[in-house]
Amino acid sequence: SFGQVVFSGGLGYRNLTDRLDEAGPGGYKRVNTRLYGILGAERDFQTSDWTITPSVQYKLILAGSQYSDVFGGVDLSQNNGYGAELAVSFVQRDAAYPLVITPFIRTWEVANSAVSRNMLEPRNTTHETGVTVSLQF
């Protein structure tokens, strides 16, 4: 904690399977895995009814791969890239089951994969925006 700012660090893992083969002819299954480091900071602000916590995270890919189920299957290393997340949590205070509302923005910038069997996974960018709504109990 530094002046009520809390710094954090850790590891994240993602495994995403795209079943493009179920979308119709020409589709194929692909599996993306990613191990990444996370550095973050957040700070709580109190109102009479809510705890409001803005947060930011930087994510750096440590190891990644893309498996494409084409031509008998191709594994491609995709180790270079980074991501970021901005969020603001609103937690209801003094409730038996506090309501938590968290709008967020997430992004990933991933470089070209290594080339294998004359194939590569191209550079890609992902942007997500959303809101998580939950109850604490």
Side-chain angles (χ1 to χ4, degrees):
S1 178
F2 180 78
Q4 298 180 347
V5 175
V6 176
F7 296 96
S8 60
L11 293 175
Y13 178 77
R14 173 184 175 194
N15 182 302
L16 175 66
T17 300
D18 289 327
R19 294 303 309 242
L20 304 173
D21 54 332
E22 295 175 355
Y28 60 95
K29 176 183 171 185
R30 65 182 199 173
V31 179
N32 175 269
T33 57
R34 184 177 301 159
L35 176 67
Y36 53 94
I38 304 167
L39 295 175
E42 65 182 38
R43 181 171 184 211
D44 289 345
F45 296 91
Q46 307 289 329
T47 71
S48 59
D49 297 323
W50 298 87
T51 299
I52 303 168
T53 308
S55 64
V56 61
Q57 290 185 343
Y58 174 78
K59 302 172 183 183
L60 180 66
I61 296 174
L62 303 173
S65 68
Q66 182 78 37
Y67 171 80
S68 296
D69 193 14
V70 294
F71 307 117
V74 178
D75 277 306
L76 302 166
S77 295
Q78 197 168 22
N79 297 320
N80 297 311
Y82 61 91
E85 181 170 331
L86 299 172
V88 180
S89 291
F90 298 86
V91 181
Q92 189 178 26
R93 296 179 56 157
D94 302 322
Y97 300 101
L99 176 66
V100 182
I101 303 168
T102 308
F104 63 85
I105 299 171
R106 296 179 187 139
T107 187
W108 281 101
E109 296 285 338
V110 182
N112 287 344
S113 72
V115 176
S116 176
R117 296 172 50 191
N118 293 324
M119 295 181 67
L120 70 80
E121 180 70 22
R123 174 186 176 278
N124 62 79
T125 301
T126 303
H127 299 288
E128 291 180 82
T129 57
V131 177
T132 302
V133 179
S134 61
L135 292 174
Q136 290 181 342
F137 56 91

